């Protein structure tokens, strides 16, 4: 997948949660300068981190489609439903979990070569010249 597309997808995931937080603050009537400063201090790094994580992950086409679908559901719900901001935050978290799981390092191979057999330990040590 294109790294710029994945970065935009990660940024969209962060922006969905930012929209949810804005709607929560606005709906509660707490839209003061103080709340805006702390909202931006919390959410701008989150948007950047989600974008960075998506860019450096190994998200394939199906994973990217799942993230996009979850983000679209979150964006629609944030503006349509009364409980939409909470649904948007949950959708953003679910989309980030998909991104995060695809960024895990690959599993190490398990096999005989990982373990030392007793027979190898009981013999004389090899000397390297």
């Amino acid at each position: 997948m294109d790294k710029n597309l994945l970065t935009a997808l990660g940024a969209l995931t962060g922006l969905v949660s930012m929209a949810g937080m804005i709607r929560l603050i606005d709906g509660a009537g707490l839209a003061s300068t103080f709340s805006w400063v702390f909202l931006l201090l919390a959410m701008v790094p989150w948007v950047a981190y989600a974008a960075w994580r998506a860019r450096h992950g190994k998200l394939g086409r199906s994973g990217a489609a799942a993230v996009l679908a979850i983000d679209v559901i979150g964006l629609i719900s944030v503006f349509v439903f009364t409980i939409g901001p909470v649904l948007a935050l949950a959708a953003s978290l679910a989309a980030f979990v998909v991104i995060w799981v695809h960024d895990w390092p690959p599993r190490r191979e398990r096999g005989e070569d990982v373990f030392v057999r007793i027979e190898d330990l009981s013999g004389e040590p090899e000397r390297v010249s």
Side-chain angles (χ1 to χ4, degrees), residues 18 29-30 32 56 70 76 83-84 89 108 112:
M18 185 180 229
L30 301 173
S32 66
H56 293 286
I70 294 169
I76 290 170
I83 197 167
L89 289 170
R108 292 186 300 165
E112 247 187 299

Side-chain angles (χ1 to χ4, degrees), residues 18-110:
M18 185 180 229
M21 291 299 291
I22 289 170
R23 290 272 307 186
L24 279 174
I25 287 175
D26 189 43
L30 301 173
S32 66
T33 305
F34 182 75
S35 63
W36 278 104
V37 167
F38 278 97
L39 176 105
L40 292 176
L41 283 174
M43 296 312 292
V44 169
W46 173 250
V47 172
Y49 179 68
W52 178 81
R53 192 63 109 153
R55 182 175 184 86
H56 293 286
K58 296 173 259 337
L59 198 62
R61 289 187 190 276
S62 61
V67 169
L68 182 62
I70 294 169
D71 284 342
V72 167
I73 290 169
L75 280 175
I76 290 170
S77 70
V78 79
F79 295 110
V80 173
F81 302 112
T82 304
I83 197 167
V86 176
L87 294 175
L89 289 170
S92 177
L93 178 64
F96 183 75
V97 166
V98 173
I99 292 170
W100 182 62
V101 165
H102 282 88
D103 195 27
W104 284 351
R107 290 184 133 183
R108 292 186 300 165
E109 290 186 26
R110 303 257 180 210

